[in-house]
Amino acid sequence: MASAAASSCSSLSMMFLTHSCGATSSTAHRLLPPGCLRRRLHCHPLQMGPTYLRCLTFHSSAAEPPSPPHVVLPHASLTTEANTKVIDGKAVAKQIRDEITAEVSRMKEAIGVIPGLAVILVGDRKDSATYVRNKKKACESVGISSLEVHLEEDSTEEEVLKHIAGYNDDPLVHGILVQLPLPSHMNEQNVLNAVRIEKDVDGFHPLNIGRLAMRGREPLFVPCTPKGCIELLHRHGISIKGKRAVVIGRSNIVGMPAALLLQREDATVTVVHSRTNNPEEITKQADIIISAVGQPNMVKGSWIKPGAVIIDVGINPVEDPNSPRGYRLVGDVCYEEAVEVASAVTPVPGGVGPMTIAMLLQNTLISAKRMHNFE
Ligand SMILES: Nc1nc(=O)c2c([nH]1)NC[C@@H]1CN(c3ccc(C(=O)N[C@@H](CCC(=O)O)C(=O)O)cc3)C=[N+]21
C-alpha cells in the first residue's frame, strides 16, 4: 500500500514535504491525499483516515518544536504578541468532565443507574491501545463504568459481531465503541452497522449521519470530534451563525460531519479537499476554519484571513529525536504562523484531542439518560 500511495502522488506532493512552517504553500494548488506524504506506512491508508493519524507514521521534520501553548481558561482572553487567543481544549475538556461527573452521580443517586461504555479493540496497534487506555481512564475519572474486550489481530469479523451483539443486549451498556481502524480483513461498514443505533456513541451509524444531514431531523448521537470542535467554539463565545466556514477534509468521521454541524449552526460552509484547486484562495475567505486532513503544518499563515478562528483537528506524529518518544505531535495548521494571523487557534496537542474524549463521555451519559428516561 505504501508504494501505491506514493506512486499516486504527483510531483506537487513535494511541495508539502517540508513540515516546517516554511513558505511552501503559496505555490501549492491542491491538497493531496494524506498517503502522499508518509515516509513509512504502517497501515492501510484508507484506515488511517485523513483526520486521525492513528498510525505512527512519522513525518520528517526540520522545524523547531512549537513553543508551549499559552494557556487560556475558557472565556478568559489572554493575549499573545499577535493578540491571538489560544483555545485551550484541555481546560474545556476538564470543565466538561466535571459537569459529567456531577450528572453521573446525580443519576446514580436518583435512580441507581451508572452509565456504561463498552470498547472493542481488535489487534495490537500501540496507538489504538493507548487511545483505549485513555478512554478507560477518562471513564473512571467521571464515574462511568467501562467494559473492554481485546481481540487478536487475526480474529474474524464474526467474532467482533458476536461481541457487538452481546453489548447490544446488555442493559448495563449504554454506549459501544469499536476502536478504528479495524484490521484490513474486516469490513468496517458491516461492523459499524451492527452497533445498535441507540448505543452508537461514536455517531458513525449511517442512520445517525443521515439524520445529521437532514433539516428537521435529529441524530441520536453526533460524532465526537466534530461535536468537540463546535463545543470549543460555543464555550469561547465564538458565534457561528452567518459566518463563512471552511472545512478542510471530507472524511466520514470528521470533515463531513463537521461541515454538516456547521451548516446546522447556520454557517455558510465550503468543503476543501484533495481535489480542490487553489485551496488557499478559499480558506482565505473563511471566518472559521476546521482542518481535518492529517498533513503536518499544511495550512500556512497565508491561507488564513486576519482575525479568523482556526480549529486544528490534525494529530500528526513527526520524527523528533529530542523527544523521549522519538516523535512529537503537530497539527494540520502551522501553529507559529497561525497565531500571528488568526484571532483564536487550537493547539496540538491540547486542543481538539481532549475534547473528542470528553464528547464520548457526554454521549455515553446522554445515552444512559435517554434509555432510563432520566432528565
Ligand atoms: N471508534 C473510534 N472513535 C474515535 O473517536 C477514535 C477512534 N475510533 N480511533 C482513533 C481516533 C483518535 N482519537 C483521539 C482521541 C483523543 C486524542 C487526544 O486526546 N490527543 C491528545 C494527545 C495525546 C498524546 O499526547 O498522545 C491531544 O491532542 O492533546 C487523540 C485522538 C479518537 N479516535
Side-chain angles (χ1 to χ4, degrees):
M1 268 336 277
S3 56
S7 63
S8 69
C9 300
S10 74
S11 58
L12 269 177
S13 66
M14 299 312 285
M15 289 172 188
F16 290 115
L17 272 175
T18 312
H19 301 130
S20 65
C21 294
T24 51
S25 65
S26 48
T27 44
H29 295 288
R30 272 192 170 178
L31 306 180
L32 285 148
C36 295
L37 287 182
R38 300 220 156 76
R39 284 280 159 89
R40 291 200 269 149
L41 277 171
H42 294 296
C43 65
H44 193 290
L46 291 177
Q47 290 171 334
M48 283 190 266
T51 40
Y52 299 127
L53 280 197
R54 292 162 294 219
C55 323
L56 288 183
T57 20
F58 297 117
H59 302 270
S60 63
S61 168
E64 283 298 304
S67 51
H70 308 265
V71 175
V72 181
L73 288 172
H75 302 297
S77 66
L78 195 115
T79 51
T80 64
E81 291 128 73
N83 234 359
T84 298
K85 209 190 315 178
V86 177
I87 300 178
D88 185 350
K90 214 169 153 183
V92 179
K94 164 83 172 63
Q95 191 180 52
I96 293 170
R97 281 199 308 275
D98 289 346
E99 292 164 12
I100 294 171
T101 306
E103 280 299 280
V104 168
S105 80
R106 187 173 71 86
M107 187 171 174
K108 188 178 166 189
E109 272 160 37
I111 59 168
V113 171
I114 299 172
L117 174 70
V119 177
I120 300 173
L121 171 64
V122 190
D124 30 45
R125 292 172 54 106
K126 261 196 176 156
D127 54 341
S128 290
T130 306
Y131 287 137
V132 169
R133 209 170 40 242
N134 290 344
K135 283 168 190 166
K136 207 171 167 177
K137 270 203 312 221
C139 283
E140 277 165 21
S141 80
V142 298
I144 288 179
S145 76
S146 70
L147 291 83
E148 186 195 321
V149 58
H150 190 168
L151 302 173
E152 302 281 328
E153 176 79 25
D154 59 2
S155 312
T156 61
E157 196 174 303
E158 286 64 41
E159 281 174 88
V160 177
L161 293 174
K162 197 185 77 195
H163 283 279
I164 293 176
Y167 288 138
N168 277 343
D169 292 338
D170 186 341
L172 299 179
V173 170
H174 306 98
I176 302 170
L177 179 144
V178 182
Q179 184 68 21
L180 300 177
L182 285 166
S184 53
H185 65 277
M186 292 188 190
N187 182 325
E188 187 180 290
Q189 205 173 315
N190 280 350
V191 172
L192 296 184
N193 286 355
V195 174
R196 223 178 105 185
I197 183 173
E198 291 86 357
K199 299 191 179 188
D200 174 38
V201 285
D202 253 333
F204 292 166
H205 194 288
L207 191 49
N208 270 326
I209 300 278
R211 289 184 184 171
L212 187 67
M214 295 168 83
R215 280 175 73 75
R217 305 276 182 107
E218 291 302 324
L220 290 172
F221 301 99
V222 173
C224 301
T225 301
K227 189 180 181 186
C229 296
I230 302 295
E231 191 70 27
L232 276 179
L233 295 172
H234 283 163
R235 294 201 181 219
H236 279 78
I238 297 160
S239 72
I240 304 173
K241 192 175 182 161
K243 296 283 171 62
R244 261 180 195 230
V246 168
V247 176
I248 314 178
R250 52 177 163 177
S251 71
N252 286 340
I253 51 179
V254 186
M256 178 266 291
L260 295 174
L261 272 178
L262 285 165
Q263 188 165 291
R264 284 177 88 98
E265 298 267 337
D266 295 324
T268 301
V269 184
T270 305
V271 177
V272 161
H273 51 74
S274 56
R275 302 288 156 212
T276 301
N277 290 325
N278 296 325
E280 172 178 353
E281 212 172 82
I282 296 162
T283 58
K284 236 193 135 110
Q285 296 179 37
D287 302 307
I288 298 167
I289 296 177
I290 296 184
S291 181
V293 278
Q295 304 252 17
N297 295 325
M298 183 190 72
V299 177
K300 311 289 176 191
S302 62
W303 292 40
I304 299 167
K305 180 168 92 173
V309 174
I310 316 295
I311 306 291
D312 190 352
V313 181
I315 299 180
N316 310 300
V318 297
E319 263 171 23
D320 182 4
N322 297 326
S323 152
R325 298 193 279 192
Y327 68 93
R328 65 188 162 85
L329 300 175
V330 303
D332 292 346
V333 178
C334 182
Y335 185 83
E336 300 92 318
E337 290 184 12
V339 290
E340 298 294 325
V341 191
S343 65
V345 56
T346 61
V348 177
V352 176
M355 289 298 289
T356 299
I357 296 186
M359 293 299 105
L360 175 66
L361 303 175
Q362 195 178 68
N363 280 352
T364 306
L365 172 65
I366 289 172
S367 179
K369 282 184 170 180
R370 183 160 45 217
M371 282 186 193
H372 293 278
N373 270 324
F374 181 75
E375 308 234 319

